[in-house]
Amino acid sequence: MSPVIEQAVQTRLVSSTPRMETVPATLRYDSEDPFAVRMAFPPAATLEGIEVAWAFARELLDTGTDRRAGLGDVRVRPYGYGRTVLEFHAVEGTAMVHIRTSDLRRFLKRTHELVPAGGEHLHLDVDHDLAELLRDAL
């Protein structure tokens, strides 16, 4: 079993109404997938009424707390004093949430203590992953 870090956070959903809704979310990092971070939103916070989780590069979150980062489905950028914006782009539309930068940095610090930046490759089991891939292809 691999070490996993989970951290509950409060986000503010940006919408067309003047008031931003507070939405709980969970940040998750698993050392077996050392390049990725997951952010999950509970069923009550989604239009579909099911949990929605996004996976994206830990480096994207690291960079996005200081400057604009991302060109794809997930984009991250600083916003004012003490906030970071995460944009999630999907076919159904775009969701934007504000999160305290201090919460993100605390989470990222814990992930870097578990797997230092630049050392992610040491936590990959390439032989196992290749065997699984080949097994599934047969």
Side-chain angles (χ1 to χ4, degrees):
M1 182 170 203
S2 69
V4 173
I5 294 171
E6 284 192 348
Q7 181 176 315
V9 293
Q10 291 295 316
T11 67
R12 306 283 305 228
L13 180 63
V14 178
S15 66
S16 58
T17 63
R19 189 172 157 271
M20 287 196 284
E21 180 182 347
T22 300
V23 176
T26 303
L27 292 167
R28 187 172 198 278
Y29 181 79
D30 185 339
S31 64
E32 283 190 4
D33 191 3
F35 290 101
V37 167
R38 286 172 176 64
M39 188 170 199
F41 298 91
T46 69
L47 294 175
E48 298 84 15
I50 59 171
E51 180 179 91
V52 173
W54 288 81
F56 48 94
R58 176 173 71 164
E59 183 180 8
L60 176 69
L61 200 54
D62 253 333
T63 303
T65 59
D66 293 316
R67 64 183 181 278
R68 187 176 296 270
L71 298 171
D73 294 342
V74 180
R75 301 171 193 177
V76 185
R77 61 183 162 85
Y79 182 79
Y81 178 75
R83 296 270 177 202
T84 300
V85 174
L86 285 87
E87 296 178 18
F88 301 99
H89 296 260
V91 173
E92 298 82 8
T94 300
M96 288 182 16
V97 296
H98 288 197
I99 186 169
R100 284 187 201 98
T101 304
S102 60
D103 289 345
L104 289 177
R105 288 196 171 128
R106 183 172 45 257
F107 173 74
L108 288 166
K109 181 177 187 264
R110 292 174 61 207
T111 71
H112 288 295
E113 288 169 354
L114 183 61
V115 178
E120 293 91 350
H121 67 285
L122 300 173
H123 293 265
L124 295 176
D125 187 350
V126 177
D127 292 333
H128 175 266
D129 293 343
L130 184 58
E132 288 289 313
L133 186 62
L134 293 172
R135 184 190 59 136
D136 290 345
L138 297 177

